[in-house]
Amino acid sequence: MNTEKGEASKAKSSIPTVQRGGGTHFNSVDLAVKEDTLDLLIQVVGSLAVSLPALLVSTSLSAAERKEKLNAVKMSVFLLCKLTESLESDSYRQSIVTAPGKGGKKGKSGGEGLMQWDSEREKVLQALIQLLQLDIRPLWNLSLVEEEFISCVTCCCYKLLENPTISHVKSKPTRDCIIHLLGLLIKKYNHLLGASVKVIQLLQHFEQLSSVFAQAVFVWSTEYGVRAIIGEVIREIGQKSSEELAREGSGVKAFASFLSELGALVPDLMIPNISVLITHLEGEYIASHVLLAVIKASELWAAMEPELLVTVRTELEPRSDAEKEQDEEEEEEEEEAVEEDDRATAVKIAQFLRVNKYRNAAQLCIRAHSRFPQSEMFAALSTLTPDTLMDTLALIFKGSDEDASELSQHLPPTPQKEGEKEGEKDGEDGELKKQEMLVQYLRDTETFALQVERAISVINTMLYWKTTSVVQEAVQFCVTVCEFSVANSVSGVRKMLPLVWSTDAAIKDAVVQAYRRLYLNPQGDTIRMKAQTLVDSLSELMVDASLGTIQCLEEIVQEFFGSGSSLQSTVVQVLWERFTGKRETSALHKRAAVLLLGMAARAEREVVLSNLDTLCSVALGEKVTEDFLLARDTVITICSITDHVRQSKGAPFRLPQEHQLFTCLTQAVAEGVVMEDPYWQSFMEQAVRLLYFLAESPDQLCSRLLQRSARLVLDQIAEGGEVNKDVSQIQDGSQDSGDQGEQVSCVSLAQLLAVCGAVAFWQVSHLERSVSAELRRRRGETEEREEKEKGPASKAKQVANESAMEEELGLMGASADDTEAELIRKICETELLAEENLLSAFLPLLVRVCSSPGRYSHPQLTTAACLALSQYMMISPSVCEEHIRLMFTVLERSTLPVVRANAIIALGDLTVRFPNILEPWTQNLYARLSDEVPSVRQTAVTVLTQLVLKDVLKVKGQVSEVAVLLIDPEPHITSLALNFFNELATKDNAIYNLLPDIISRLSDPERGMSSEDFNTIMKQLFSYITKERQTESLVEKLCQRFRTAKTERQWCDLAVSLSLLSMCERGFKRLQECWECYSDKLTEPGVYQPLLSITAKLRRGAKPQFKAQVDEFEKRLTAVHTRGLENVESPEMDEENQRGGGPAEKTLPHTNRPSRGRAKSKRGQAKPSVSSRGDESFVTPQRSRKSKKPVITFSSEEEEEEDEEDAVMAESETPKVTTPIARTSRRARLRN
């Protein structure tokens, strides 16, 4: 007793010093003093825990002694808790401050202090547990413990739980102590309600505590028997409104994770309370995460029992020798699944049953009996029968009957009735009620599944939101629904594939991880089964996939084959088996297999290079004409081993011309020229590309290919006899047969011209890429060899002399590159289309077909000829300039949409290659944006977007044609136009500079655009104007245009444009200053109402002084508008007129009223352009109509040679070069 008094007196003597400094000067106390105080308080609380039990049972305890002990307990616990909270805060701040300076002295000392506090923190909690597990309630009057005392301890516990590292493994001892200390307070000291509220509050702010509190509630409800805590916590969550949850993003996630983990730990105790969460089932994903975790195990067992019984009986049937060998291999793999003890193995078996791996569960259960023969769980398997195995699996999955009876104690009690019949009736009612509950659950599950299916399309659109976290959540959702095989879930998986090119590393990693989880980590009992599963899933993804999807998938598959996975060799073997036909498979899966082999070859060239003979014999051999699609995909796969794809820097990898591959390719292409196969064209393009990528001297190979193809076409015409000669002389009776013969020759001729165009294009590419790169490589090797031969002294002297000479001449770069580029250009200009070159023989034929659409009207022939001509024009500027007029004639006057679309793409490429030649024709390109066919408009806006955003085309007023597409009836075209302006807005002031001209063009009466469409377009465009200076400047420019506006509609459009601006005070001031520009137009409602809406916007949140100015301006607007409508004068109006400058009748004549009969300008009359008139002109000059041009008629009759060029634009229609685009040479760039 004396010892206790001495320790208490020590505490009292030391407490005042700490307590007085605790409020203000605690931070100034030395760390050693704090540590000594903490040790002293731990000793005091520990000694109290040892001495109090004897005193509490003593009957001779006086009131004074009881009060003294109570004070000692309260004071020591209070000081220990408060000191612990302060040290916890200090250690957390110290860990944040010292985290960057890990190697410094400060960081080192901070780290030592933190480690000491981690060890001391557990001692504090142990001391409090020892004290509070005693029944100290008799120390208080009437055994009622003060709420402040309990709150002091609980606040300390919750303060420790706020530490971010509390959920880490190293904090497990501290975490367990806190859970047990709170469990004591909940059970003995009536802290149930406070704990449930505090759990919810901490989950809202600390998402990492979800697993900690799930474990805590599990311990409180099981070890401490406080099962009501589960109902209280769930009730607190259920009482939250959906609006409150919507504001708490992390809180909702924490609730969902907490309930999900708690449902997995105590599903039986959560079932009676799950109905509370039903109200949130339509909101965020709280209940949906929990329902699957809390289904009664007995109900799941009843659902899976029939299928499981079939699996068990199949597993126990006698096996053949081959099956026994396979089982032995599987048993070796399953040996790893057997855990060290029987309980862990039972958990593994239950996990297999939950994911429907019944065969694995049965096999593991049988092996567990042989591993743990003494275990009670597997004792029934001493006699191995289907019944004993099913009983063992049932015991593991749903527990024993005792567990079920324990659960039944918590169900609502049924009233006791007398008589066996009544008891049986109650039992039947109970079973019926269970069945009704199960049916209702299944209905709710079906409803939930249907809601998820409807949500897929909505969440798929969220994959391309700008918020990274939203995209990550959408990717995770797509993966989850795909794993559960929800209908149409693959659409989201395919849609997120292009995100592998995302510049956001987090999004790219999320997509890669998603595909790795779905497709690259297959499930299977053996390696071969895993490989087959992987190939099946990837093949399904590639079936009917677009070229863009396949290119995105290449990135992921290439990463898999480059990661060194153990499945690589087996996967490659399965792919070869499918491609060669050793395993029965469909044509689609065979093509998918060869494409996947090509993706593997990007990581390892030998996968394809060592099997070229197999590829040639299977896909490019005798049966190549039966499946050109398989041949095309095979050629794409072989391309993956070329230097162009692999970006090799060494000597070029090429095969000799005599290789079997090139023999098969040239034969297949030539034979296909005279065939009618819709897939030959795509095969031919890939084949010619491969010839130039992989063959030695590909120009010689392609020359022989052209000769062979032309010979086959001539032979076909010869075999057809005189069918195609003198078509006009064929009698009516034989007209059908004549047309048929002509159609066959047209197809063959079209395919021959397609080969010519492909050879011309790839020949230019070969010269500029492969030949040029090889010249540079050889020059580099020569220079390097010469440098090695020369000594270091002579080398330094030469370098100094050369640099001095180059600096004197102004050539600070390697002129050798310019020499090589000039050589390539000279070859393209003079040699490719020389008379001795075979390509030149086909150019007159191409021009003839393109310029005579009446005679050559076959769609495929026209399409092929125009595309081939555009490829020829890529050869040199002279060829391009010679035939550019013909190409634009085809673009504007062809009746085939595919020809116009191809022409747009070709002219876009020519614009990049020869910008000076194409610049005068820019207006003709923009004209295709108003084409009547959606596919042509889509192609035009795609091409122009690329040209404008890459600064190939100058951004001018023609962009208004793109703005019109914002209201296009086709949603895809609208999205392309919107993307164009989104990207254009990233360029400095681009849209701001274009807006006045766009408004002028769109409000032109000759365009005839409705006011609704104009408002829609302008609303989108003005959303990009965010700077205050831009707004102020636009206000002035638009107001000035009121003066030159000719029609009421133009006034209204200008007023609407003003109202769409985000008006600021400076803009409003400018609007007032320009009053004279628009005051005489206020009589029109279309002008008055938009300006009135400006005042309404400015009035919101305005300061009193500015609000008064707005009100005065509004009164002024209304006065002028009303005066014009009533057309009457009053004394008040006279006074207003005197201030305003005269009555309305005197003002209105100065307004340019719209005239009904508008005088049209004559053709040829000079009109000032918009740019020359500046802001003083509004009306865009009328474009010259095509009807004024000479009418060209396409004739199908035989014509004379000199009349065949009539389809081409006249020389007067050809635009002249106005602003040449200078292309700087490499030498000039280096000089600068």
Side-chain angles (χ1 to χ4, degrees):
M1 182 72 76
N2 294 332
T3 303
E4 297 163 8
K5 290 181 179 179
E7 291 175 351
S9 63
K10 287 180 183 178
K12 292 178 182 178
S13 63
S14 59
I15 284 168
T17 304
V18 177
Q19 192 170 6
R20 283 196 301 269
T24 308
H25 305 292
F26 180 78
N27 293 331
S28 63
V29 177
D30 188 50
L31 180 61
V33 176
K34 297 179 183 178
E35 292 177 349
D36 293 341
T37 307
L38 182 69
D39 293 337
L40 177 62
L41 290 173
I42 292 175
Q43 293 177 11
V44 170
V45 174
S47 64
L48 287 173
V50 173
S51 62
L52 280 178
L55 292 174
L56 293 174
V57 296
S58 175
T59 57
S60 61
L61 186 65
S62 64
E65 292 176 336
R66 180 181 60 79
K67 186 174 182 180
E68 182 181 356
K69 288 297 177 184
L70 177 61
N71 288 334
V73 169
K74 291 165 65 175
M75 292 172 66
S76 57
V77 169
F78 172 80
L79 290 175
L80 182 59
C81 291
K82 295 303 178 183
L83 184 59
T84 300
E85 292 181 26
S86 299
L87 290 174
E88 175 69 15
S89 300
D90 291 344
S91 68
Y92 178 59
R93 284 196 298 268
Q94 192 176 25
S95 66
I96 295 176
V97 172
T98 59
K102 194 172 183 180
K105 294 181 179 180
K106 186 176 181 180
K108 184 175 179 181
S109 63
E112 290 177 356
L114 184 62
M115 291 178 60
Q116 292 175 1
W117 172 239
D118 287 340
S119 59
E120 293 294 330
R121 184 165 44 194
E122 189 176 349
K123 294 179 183 179
V124 173
L125 295 170
Q126 290 287 0
L128 290 173
I129 290 175
Q130 291 177 6
L131 176 63
L132 294 177
Q133 68 184 1
L134 303 175
D135 190 8
I136 60 174
R137 287 175 293 182
L139 294 177
W140 278 268
N141 291 328
L142 302 177
S143 297
L144 296 177
V145 182
E146 296 171 349
E147 181 64 29
E148 290 78 4
F149 178 79
I150 303 301
S151 177
C152 178
V153 181
T154 56
C155 287
C156 179
C157 294
Y158 296 131
K159 179 72 174 179
L160 296 178
L161 285 175
E162 293 178 5
N163 193 318
T165 63
I166 196 64
S167 59
H168 296 179
V169 176
K170 66 178 182 180
S171 302
K172 186 177 186 304
T174 303
R175 188 167 63 244
D176 292 342
C177 289
I178 295 174
I179 291 174
H180 286 288
L181 180 55
L182 289 174
L184 287 172
L185 296 172
I186 292 172
K187 185 175 183 179
K188 289 187 174 184
Y189 299 97
N190 201 23
H191 184 57
L192 175 62
L193 294 177
S196 61
V197 173
K198 198 66 180 177
V199 165
I200 301 302
Q201 291 177 352
L202 290 177
L203 282 176
Q204 288 175 325
H205 298 92
F206 303 97
E207 187 178 349
Q208 72 272 12
L209 291 180
S210 56
S211 59
V212 176
F213 277 131
Q215 185 67 30
V217 174
F218 168 69
V219 172
W220 299 338
S221 61
T222 54
E223 296 185 17
Y224 291 91
V226 189
R227 303 193 176 198
I229 186 68
I230 296 178
E232 291 294 334
V233 172
I234 295 179
R235 193 173 297 110
E236 288 288 338
I237 298 176
Q239 289 176 353
K240 287 187 171 293
S241 63
S242 57
E243 293 80 6
E244 188 177 358
L245 291 175
R247 294 192 299 267
E248 302 171 359
S250 60
V252 171
K253 294 181 182 178
F255 291 153
S257 178
F258 165 73
L259 292 173
S260 180
E261 294 189 34
L262 186 61
L265 293 172
V266 283
D268 299 337
L269 300 180
M270 284 193 67
I271 286 178
N273 304 289
I274 201 65
S275 59
V276 179
L277 300 174
I278 298 299
T279 57
H280 297 305
L281 191 58
E282 296 178 357
E284 291 286 346
Y285 45 82
I286 294 182
S288 59
H289 272 126
V290 180
L291 288 179
L292 293 178
V294 300
I295 304 169
K296 290 179 66 176
S298 58
E299 296 173 356
L300 289 177
W301 177 262
M304 70 170 68
E305 188 174 10
E307 186 177 354
L308 179 60
L309 182 59
V310 173
T311 305
V312 167
R313 289 174 177 172
T314 305
E315 189 64 27
L316 296 180
E317 289 178 354
R319 306 294 184 87
S320 62
D321 295 338
E323 292 175 340
K324 287 180 180 179
E325 293 178 1
Q326 186 178 358
D327 289 344
E328 290 176 0
E329 296 178 0
E330 295 174 357
E331 287 175 0
E332 293 177 0
E333 297 179 4
E334 290 173 3
E335 191 72 32
E336 302 176 357
V338 180
E339 302 289 345
E340 296 180 357
D341 58 353
D342 57 342
R343 185 170 296 277
T345 304
V347 172
K348 190 73 174 179
I349 293 172
Q351 291 175 352
F352 279 142
L353 292 173
R354 286 192 179 94
V355 296
N356 299 334
K357 294 185 177 181
Y358 301 145
R359 185 167 177 265
N360 294 351
Q363 291 176 349
L364 185 58
C365 189
I366 295 172
R367 291 194 57 77
H369 169 65
S370 59
R371 180 77 176 270
F372 312 108
Q374 304 299 327
S375 175
E376 296 181 359
M377 286 185 289
F378 304 106
L381 295 179
S382 56
T383 305
L384 189 59
T385 63
D387 293 336
T388 57
L389 185 55
M390 287 293 291
D391 292 340
T392 304
L393 291 173
L395 176 64
I396 293 172
F397 186 75
K398 63 178 183 177
S400 61
D401 294 337
E402 295 177 359
D403 297 335
S405 62
E406 183 181 355
L407 175 63
S408 64
Q409 295 176 2
H410 305 287
L411 296 175
T414 55
Q416 299 291 332
K417 296 186 179 181
E418 298 179 358
E420 295 182 358
K421 293 183 180 180
E422 294 181 358
E424 293 177 359
K425 185 177 180 181
D426 292 340
E428 293 176 359
D429 292 343
E431 289 295 327
L432 180 61
K433 188 171 294 185
K434 289 181 180 179
Q435 294 298 323
E436 290 177 351
M437 290 175 62
L438 179 59
V439 170
Q440 184 60 41
Y441 163 73
L442 294 176
R443 287 176 178 171
D444 294 341
T445 303
E446 180 189 17
T447 304
F448 176 71
L450 293 175
Q451 292 291 345
V452 171
E453 289 181 16
R454 295 190 187 100
I456 288 176
S457 59
V458 178
I459 295 181
N460 285 350
T461 61
M462 300 168 65
L463 288 168
Y464 290 90
W465 281 20
K466 294 182 180 180
T467 308
T468 302
S469 59
V470 173
V471 177
Q472 290 176 319
E473 292 284 350
V475 169
Q476 183 63 34
F477 174 83
C478 293
V479 173
T480 304
V481 295
C482 188
E483 287 179 334
F484 280 93
S485 301
V486 181
N488 200 30
S489 59
V490 181
S491 63
V493 176
R494 284 187 175 181
K495 189 170 183 179
M496 72 181 178
L497 189 53
L499 292 174
V500 296
W501 309 107
S502 175
T503 56
D504 192 327
I507 295 176
K508 179 179 180 180
D509 183 64
V511 176
V512 172
Q513 293 299 331
Y515 271 85
R516 183 179 294 138
R517 173 177 163 185
L518 288 174
Y519 298 107
L520 304 182
N521 291 321
Q523 302 295 324
D525 297 330
T526 62
I527 293 180
R528 183 168 183 83
M529 290 181 64
K530 290 180 180 180
Q532 289 177 348
T533 304
L534 188 148
V535 172
D536 287 338
S537 57
L538 288 178
S539 298
E540 289 296 332
L541 192 64
M542 295 186 67
V543 170
D544 297 332
S546 63
L547 181 61
T549 302
I550 293 175
Q551 288 176 347
C552 297
L553 193 61
E554 282 179 357
E555 290 294 312
I556 297 173
V557 176
Q558 184 179 350
E559 180 183 349
F560 166 74
F561 282 102
S563 62
S565 173
S566 58
L567 289 176
Q568 286 183 16
S569 58
T570 311
V571 168
V572 171
Q573 182 182 353
V574 172
L575 290 173
W576 280 115
E577 290 176 358
R578 291 198 176 190
F579 173 69
T580 56
K582 291 183 179 179
R583 283 183 171 271
E584 192 69 26
T585 185
S586 64
L588 288 174
H589 286 86
K590 184 179 290 187
R591 286 167 46 203
V594 74
L595 287 174
L596 289 171
L597 286 171
M599 297 176 189
R602 288 175 174 267
E604 182 56 49
R605 176 185 278 177
E606 291 300 321
V607 172
V608 170
L609 186 59
S610 59
N611 294 278
L612 278 180
D613 295 339
T614 304
L615 290 169
C616 293
S617 59
V618 173
L620 303 175
E622 298 177 354
K623 298 182 179 180
V624 63
T625 56
E626 298 178 3
D627 192 351
F628 279 116
L629 282 178
L630 179 62
R632 179 201 64 186
D633 293 341
T634 303
V635 172
I636 293 175
T637 295
I638 299 175
C639 273
S640 62
I641 68 174
T642 61
D643 294 332
H644 290 269
V645 176
R646 300 174 61 85
Q647 301 296 327
S648 177
K649 295 183 179 179
F653 173 75
R654 290 186 177 270
L655 298 177
Q657 294 184 16
E658 298 78 16
H659 196 278
Q660 178 191 1
L661 171 63
F662 306 131
T663 304
C664 295
L665 283 178
T666 53
Q667 182 178 353
V669 171
E671 291 180 355
V673 168
V674 293
M675 297 176 58
E676 293 190 39
D677 193 300
Y679 305 113
W680 173 88
Q681 176 89 16
S682 58
F683 161 71
M684 179 274 298
E685 292 172 354
Q686 295 296 332
V688 175
R689 172 173 174 258
L690 180 60
L691 289 176
Y692 277 98
F693 279 7
L694 200 58
E696 290 283 356
S697 302
D699 49 343
Q700 299 177 9
L701 271 176
C702 290
S703 177
R704 292 195 292 269
L705 172 62
L706 285 176
Q707 291 177 356
R708 185 173 182 178
S709 301
R711 176 56 57 189
L712 288 174
V713 173
L714 292 174
D715 292 344
Q716 185 191 48
I717 295 175
E719 291 174 2
E722 302 296 325
V723 175
N724 293 323
K725 294 183 178 179
D726 301 328
V727 177
S728 61
Q729 300 176 4
I730 297 177
Q731 302 297 324
D732 295 338
S734 61
Q735 185 69 38
D736 295 338
S737 62
D739 288 346
Q740 184 178 3
E742 185 182 6
Q743 292 292 328
V744 172
S745 65
C746 284
V747 173
S748 300
L749 181 59
Q751 296 182 158
L752 175 62
L753 296 180
V755 176
C756 296
V759 170
F761 176 81
W762 287 110
Q763 180 65 38
V764 175
S765 175
H766 173 68
L767 287 172
E768 295 189 349
R769 295 179 60 183
S770 302
V771 175
S772 180
E774 179 62 11
L775 289 175
R776 287 195 301 271
R777 189 188 68 81
R778 292 181 182 181
R779 175 169 53 82
E781 289 182 351
T782 303
E783 292 175 355
E784 185 178 354
R785 186 168 57 252
E786 291 176 353
E787 289 175 0
K788 290 181 179 179
E789 293 175 355
K790 296 178 181 179
S794 60
K795 177 183 176 183
K797 183 177 181 181
Q798 182 182 2
V799 169
N801 292 336
E802 289 180 354
S803 60
M805 184 181 301
E806 288 181 355
E807 186 173 358
E808 184 179 352
L809 296 175
L811 303 176
M812 294 300 293
S815 60
D817 288 343
D818 288 339
T819 304
E820 292 161 1
E822 185 63 32
L823 174 62
I824 299 299
R825 284 196 293 269
K826 184 177 179 181
I827 293 174
C828 292
E829 183 73 32
T830 61
E831 297 184 18
L832 285 188
L833 293 179
E835 292 183 1
E836 62 273 11
N837 197 316
L838 190 59
L839 284 175
S840 63
F842 294 94
L843 183 55
L845 179 60
L846 289 173
V847 175
R848 183 186 183 92
V849 173
C850 293
S851 59
S852 304
R855 179 181 300 176
Y856 304 100
S857 58
H858 190 277
Q860 186 174 346
L861 177 59
T862 305
T863 304
C866 294
L867 188 58
L869 179 60
S870 67
Q871 291 169 327
Y872 266 76
M873 292 168 65
M874 298 286 287
I875 293 177
S876 67
S878 60
V879 180
C880 178
E881 198 163 7
E882 182 180 356
H883 301 101
I884 188 66
R885 196 152 48 92
L886 174 59
M887 184 56 63
F888 273 100
T889 303
V890 172
L891 174 65
E892 294 188 2
R893 300 180 183 177
S894 176
T895 58
L896 299 175
V898 64
V899 173
R900 299 200 298 273
N902 286 346
I904 292 171
I905 298 173
L907 290 168
D909 294 338
L910 288 170
T911 303
V912 177
R913 186 166 175 80
F914 307 120
N916 287 337
I917 298 176
L918 271 293
E919 197 274 337
W921 299 87
T922 304
Q923 181 63 38
N924 301 74
L925 283 176
Y926 277 101
R928 289 303 96 204
L929 293 171
S930 57
D931 197 284
E932 64 273 7
V933 179
S935 61
V936 180
R937 295 200 302 274
Q938 178 180 335
T939 306
V941 70
T942 303
V943 171
L944 288 170
T945 297
Q946 295 297 320
L947 295 177
V948 170
L949 297 182
K950 292 181 179 179
D951 296 325
V952 179
L953 281 183
K954 293 183 178 179
V955 184
K956 297 182 179 179
Q958 296 96 336
V959 177
S960 61
E961 302 298 332
V962 184
V964 175
L965 296 183
L966 290 170
I967 55 172
D968 196 273
E970 297 293 330
H972 187 59
I973 297 177
T974 303
S975 65
L976 288 175
L978 184 61
N979 178 68
F980 170 82
F981 285 106
N982 289 338
E983 295 295 331
L984 189 62
T986 59
K987 297 180 178 290
D988 292 338
N989 299 331
I991 295 181
Y992 162 75
N993 294 331
L994 292 169
L995 264 175
D997 202 6
I998 291 176
I999 295 173
S1000 298
R1001 292 171 181 263
L1002 295 185
S1003 61
D1004 190 349
E1006 295 184 2
R1007 179 178 288 274
M1009 177 177 289
S1010 66
S1011 58
E1012 292 79 7
D1013 293 341
F1014 179 86
N1015 295 349
T1016 303
I1017 295 173
M1018 288 298 108
K1019 186 176 182 180
Q1020 179 61 41
L1021 294 182
F1022 276 108
S1023 66
Y1024 301 112
I1025 305 300
T1026 56
K1027 297 179 181 179
E1028 191 170 329
R1029 287 186 177 180
Q1030 293 179 350
T1031 302
E1032 181 183 2
S1033 177
L1034 281 176
V1035 168
E1036 184 176 4
K1037 288 183 178 181
L1038 294 176
C1039 288
Q1040 293 296 333
R1041 290 192 177 235
F1042 273 104
R1043 297 180 182 274
T1044 55
K1046 305 298 181 182
T1047 64
E1048 295 177 3
R1049 169 63 192 280
Q1050 290 176 336
W1051 302 344
C1052 298
D1053 289 344
L1054 285 171
V1056 169
S1057 300
L1058 283 171
S1059 67
L1060 293 174
L1061 282 169
S1062 299
M1063 194 70 68
C1064 53
E1065 289 191 22
R1066 292 170 58 180
F1068 176 68
K1069 183 180 179 182
R1070 190 70 63 183
L1071 185 65
Q1072 287 180 307
E1073 293 174 356
C1074 298
W1075 170 263
E1076 297 296 332
C1077 298
Y1078 57 84
S1079 58
D1080 56 340
K1081 280 81 172 177
L1082 290 174
T1083 53
E1084 294 294 333
V1087 178
Y1088 168 71
Q1089 291 297 337
L1091 294 179
L1092 195 64
S1093 66
I1094 295 176
T1095 61
K1097 294 178 184 177
L1098 290 171
R1099 193 179 290 109
R1100 300 193 194 111
K1103 297 179 180 179
Q1105 183 178 0
F1106 180 65
K1107 188 176 181 181
Q1109 297 178 8
V1110 174
D1111 292 339
E1112 182 181 354
F1113 180 72
E1114 182 178 351
K1115 292 178 181 178
R1116 192 177 182 188
L1117 288 175
T1118 306
V1120 176
H1121 174 67
T1122 307
R1123 179 185 60 191
L1125 287 179
E1126 296 179 355
N1127 200 17
V1128 294
E1129 295 187 14
S1130 63
E1132 293 81 0
M1133 288 295 107
D1134 291 338
E1135 185 179 352
E1136 175 67 23
N1137 293 339
Q1138 294 295 331
R1139 292 195 304 266
E1145 287 78 1
K1146 296 181 181 179
T1147 305
L1148 287 176
H1150 295 285
T1151 306
N1152 295 324
R1153 305 294 296 179
S1155 58
R1156 296 185 177 272
R1158 178 171 178 173
K1160 298 184 179 180
S1161 60
K1162 298 180 181 180
R1163 179 176 173 83
Q1165 183 176 352
K1167 298 180 183 180
S1169 62
V1170 176
S1171 59
S1172 64
R1173 286 183 288 185
D1175 293 340
E1176 299 175 357
S1177 174
F1178 181 84
V1179 182
T1180 303
Q1182 182 179 1
R1183 292 167 52 188
S1184 58
R1185 298 184 177 274
K1186 296 177 182 178
S1187 58
K1188 298 293 183 179
K1189 299 176 183 179
V1191 179
I1192 304 300
T1193 58
F1194 295 154
S1195 174
S1196 60
E1197 303 294 335
E1198 285 289 340
E1199 300 174 357
E1200 299 298 330
E1201 292 290 336
E1202 58 272 12
D1203 296 333
E1204 290 181 357
E1205 301 292 333
D1206 289 345
V1208 188
M1209 286 184 182
E1211 185 66 30
S1212 60
E1213 300 176 85
T1214 306
K1216 306 300 180 185
V1217 177
T1218 54
T1219 54
I1221 300 173
R1223 171 178 285 178
T1224 58
S1225 65
R1226 179 180 179 85
R1227 180 178 301 177
R1229 291 195 302 269
L1230 291 173
R1231 186 182 300 119
N1232 295 331

